[in-house]
Amino acid sequence: MDRTVEHYERVAATYNEHWTYNPDYVRGFSHAIADALRLTGSDAIADIGCGTGLYTRRLYEDVQPTRPILCVDPVQAMLDQLPASPGLRPLHAQAEDLASGRVALPDDRPLDAIVLKESIHHMADRQGTFDGLVRLLSGHGRVLIIMLPKSIQHPLFAAAHERFQQLQPDPAEVADMVSAAGLRSSVSHRTFHATIERERYIHMLESRYMSVLGEFSEDELREGIAQFRHSYRDDPVLRFDDHFAFVKGSVPPR
Ligand SMILES: C[S@@+](CC[C@H](N)C(=O)[O-])C[C@H]1O[C@@H](n2cnc3c(N)ncnc32)[C@H](O)[C@@H]1O
């Protein structure tokens, strides 16, 4: 956990700049979240591992829930980037704290919808934590786990792709975890088109914008970026398909 916290503390200030391939990307993604969870204004929503709230703020604008969205993250520097808004309620905690009851939900009201966007891979005891989160759901609760597949098309260097594949959980296993927690589960796939200037992307690599890049020493990263520069020397603008698995779970009718 300490390594993860260190990583996100380091990238927090520039996270929004780095992860916004372009504004349409973020807008399209938030619509897809609202749509997949069928969110309505009366839902009590939590975004667990919300980071800087890059997507949560858009989600709030899209759905306009009457209750603020609970924005949960263990890295204070990430939460510090949340815009001050009556629609976003920060909670400095790990998913595990909520799951175990160490940290209570504000107002003790069950949640109707939980978003876990690119945070599930950070949880060590995934099933135990997820089971605990499911206990926080209302009778019509839904969960959406958004994750990258095991193999991605990002223009990373070869060693980063290999390491990513070793670390990334398989969405099919995550769907099994959702079923094992007693929810009805399904997996679908979405593709978002990313466009980014090569030089900006190099800056993102240098800043270790994906947590997998935190696995490399300074020298290894420099070597990887040199390989990247060579591979993309003729492409001033990079275009790639960003595929995501949307693993959904819903409380079965009683
Ligand atoms: C890749 S970022 C995703 C942030 C945000 N969901 C987004 O899509 O922009 C992963 C986030 O998960 C958070 N995180 C790491 N470990 C966590 C844990 N045990 N419980 C909840 N969040 C965690 C990190 O602090 C970080 O903000």
Side-chain angles (χ1 to χ4, degrees), residues 25 29 153 189-194 240-246:
Y25 177 96
F29 216 122
Q153 294 186 4
H189 294 90
R190 311 283 161 108
T191 298
F192 302 89
H193 302 289
F240 64 98
D241 281 342
D242 206 2
H243 299 295
F244 280 90
F246 275 35

Side-chain angles (χ1 to χ4, degrees), residues 35-181:
D35 196 45
L37 278 168
R38 291 175 208 250
L39 293 177
T40 70
S42 61
D43 282 324
I45 306 167
D47 185 354
I48 300 183
C50 65
T52 60
L54 179 60
Y55 296 89
T56 334
R57 64 191 76 174
R58 284 263 168 217
L59 203 58
Y60 177 72
E61 286 165 15
D62 283 354
V63 181
Q64 299 275 317
T66 49
R67 273 171 287 265
I69 300 182
L70 188 63
C71 301
V72 184
D73 205 280
V75 179
Q76 188 60 47
M78 294 293 269
L79 285 179
D80 287 345
Q81 301 291 322
L82 273 182
S85 156
L88 304 175
R89 185 175 193 168
L91 179 64
H92 182 216
Q94 284 184 275
E96 290 83 342
D97 297 326
L98 279 177
S100 65
R102 268 193 304 275
V103 171
L105 285 177
D107 312 329
D108 270 338
R109 189 191 183 281
L111 296 167
D112 302 310
I114 296 179
V115 180
L116 289 153
K117 179 175 177 298
E118 294 181 84
S119 55
I120 195 82
H121 59 287
H122 288 309
M123 293 160 207
D125 172 15
R126 220 169 283 143
Q127 183 77 59
T129 304
F130 190 75
D131 289 350
L133 294 179
V134 166
R135 287 194 284 273
L136 304 176
L137 288 173
S138 69
H140 55 281
R142 293 94 72 203
V143 182
L144 177 61
I145 300 169
I146 299 170
M147 58 188 292
L148 291 167
K150 271 194 92 66
S151 122
I152 53 176
Q153 294 186 4
H154 296 52
L156 300 171
F157 46 90
H161 274 290
E162 276 162 32
R163 192 74 189 113
F164 183 86
Q165 281 195 15
Q166 288 162 1
L167 294 174
Q168 184 68 355
D170 186 335
E173 284 167 18
V174 172
D176 289 345
M177 172 196 83
V178 171
S179 305

